[in-house]
Amino acid sequence: DTEVTQTPKHLVMGMTNKKSLKCEQHMGHRAMYWYKQKAKKPPELMFVYSYEKLSINESVPSRFSPECPNSSLLNLHLHALQPEDSALYLCASSQARAGANQPQHFGDGTRLSIL
Amino acid sequence: DAKTTQPNSMESNEEEPVHLPCNHSTISGTDYIHWYRQLPSQGPEYVIHGLTSNVNNRMASLAIAEDRKSSTLILHRATLRDAAVYYCILRRLHQGGSEKLVFGKGTKLTVNP
């Protein structure tokens, strides 16, 4: 069982829908990450939050809107997505001490399909 | 972003050692070498990391070349549960303590019984 919990596990939505992906961890980690993974490809970093502040945005389209309401929760709000956005969305967390070299802990992802 | 190069696939027999190579010729002095693996239908799982010296943990060993332009992940006795995609990654620390992992394309390891 993973220590990073992502819900829902599967999501099917139309291009005009608004939905949210949720990620939760209780390891006391203060850095949280969103990745996108297309089939048979490696994960690609989308966003990084450090101490609840957005620290990295990898030029992700605005139809993806991240939110970190507290140190345990990370959301990804979705609106007006395109079929090419269908992918596995992975959340990860790690300790965020400067100079630390701690591993990232990944959830098992939300598999998103856009109709 | 710093890139890594790995073979697309490798095959091993159960109970035998496996050496997974990775080239990272553009590595900078502060980049750590990380390895993660991803089993089917799961998120990536941390395996091991190192900077300059060889490293051992309960899962694997990491051998790093003296010039740091390449490394090898060693699984001492492969089991069927080790069948996964193995990613070699250069990890860069970002301001505020967060970090950036840039995944290479990975090596799909098949373990034969």
Side-chain angles (χ1 to χ4, degrees):
Chain A
D1 287 340
T2 180
E3 297 166 303
V4 175
T5 304
Q6 292 188 243
T7 53
K9 292 192 186 305
H10 302 274
L11 178 62
V12 179
M13 57 187 285
M15 288 189 284
T16 58
N17 292 156
K18 285 185 181 180
K19 295 285 185 184
S20 296
L21 309 185
K22 181 179 171 183
C23 174
E24 193 167 2
Q25 58 87 16
H26 296 287
M27 295 178 282
H29 291 170
R30 302 302 295 274
M32 296 187 76
Y33 311 79
W34 280 116
Y35 291 83
K36 173 182 178 180
Q37 186 174 27
K38 301 283 280 184
K40 298 190 186 304
K41 299 289 186 183
E44 295 178 350
L45 183 66
M46 299 175 72
F47 302 104
V48 181
Y49 273 83
S50 179
Y51 294 91
E52 295 86 69
K53 287 186 174 20
L54 184 65
S55 64
I56 300 177
N57 177 342
E58 292 286 271
S59 303
V60 179
S62 59
R63 57 185 184 269
F64 295 91
S65 175
E67 179 196 21
C68 190
N70 61 57
S71 60
S72 300
L73 278 177
L74 185 66
N75 299 319
L76 187 62
H77 303 297
L78 314 172
H79 173 55
L81 294 195
Q82 304 297 309
E84 61 265 28
D85 297 322
S86 297
L88 181 69
Y89 288 85
L90 292 161
C91 173
S93 70
S94 69
Q95 295 185 26
R97 295 171 300 174
N101 202 354
Q102 300 298 317
Q104 290 187 16
H105 296 248
F106 283 81
D108 287 335
T110 293
R111 189 160 300 282
L112 177 65
S113 298
I114 307 299
L115 301 179
Chain B
D1 288 323
K3 296 196 183 298
T4 62
T5 305
Q6 301 174 250
N8 289 335
S9 62
M10 291 185 67
E11 207 165 319
S12 172
N13 295 321
E14 205 175 5
E15 304 290 316
E16 290 183 358
V18 182
H19 291 232
L20 298 167
C22 180
N23 288 320
H24 28 77
S25 58
T26 60
I27 191 169
S28 72
T30 56
D31 286 342
Y32 278 78
I33 301 156
H34 281 234
W35 285 80
Y36 282 69
R37 71 181 185 181
Q38 189 171 20
L39 280 67
S41 301
Q42 294 186 22
E45 173 190 29
Y46 167 79
V47 177
I48 200 166
H49 76 270
L51 182 62
T52 56
S53 305
N54 295 346
V55 184
N56 300 297
N57 68 19
R58 64 175 180 81
M59 289 181 72
S61 295
L62 177 60
I64 302 172
E66 198 168 332
D67 63 3
R68 299 206 332 122
K69 293 184 185 300
S70 65
S71 62
T72 302
L73 179 70
I74 302 163
L75 307 179
H76 295 287
R77 291 178 65 196
T79 69
L80 297 178
R81 292 169 57 185
D82 291 323
V85 178
Y86 286 78
Y87 293 105
C88 172
I89 299 159
L90 297 183
R91 174 262 193 195
R92 286 194 173 152
L93 191 61
H94 199 262
Q95 61 185 8
S98 58
E99 64 182 27
K100 188 168 177 176
L101 296 182
V102 179
F103 284 71
K105 293 184 178 179
T107 296
K108 183 175 181 180
L109 176 65
T110 301
V111 181
N112 300 314

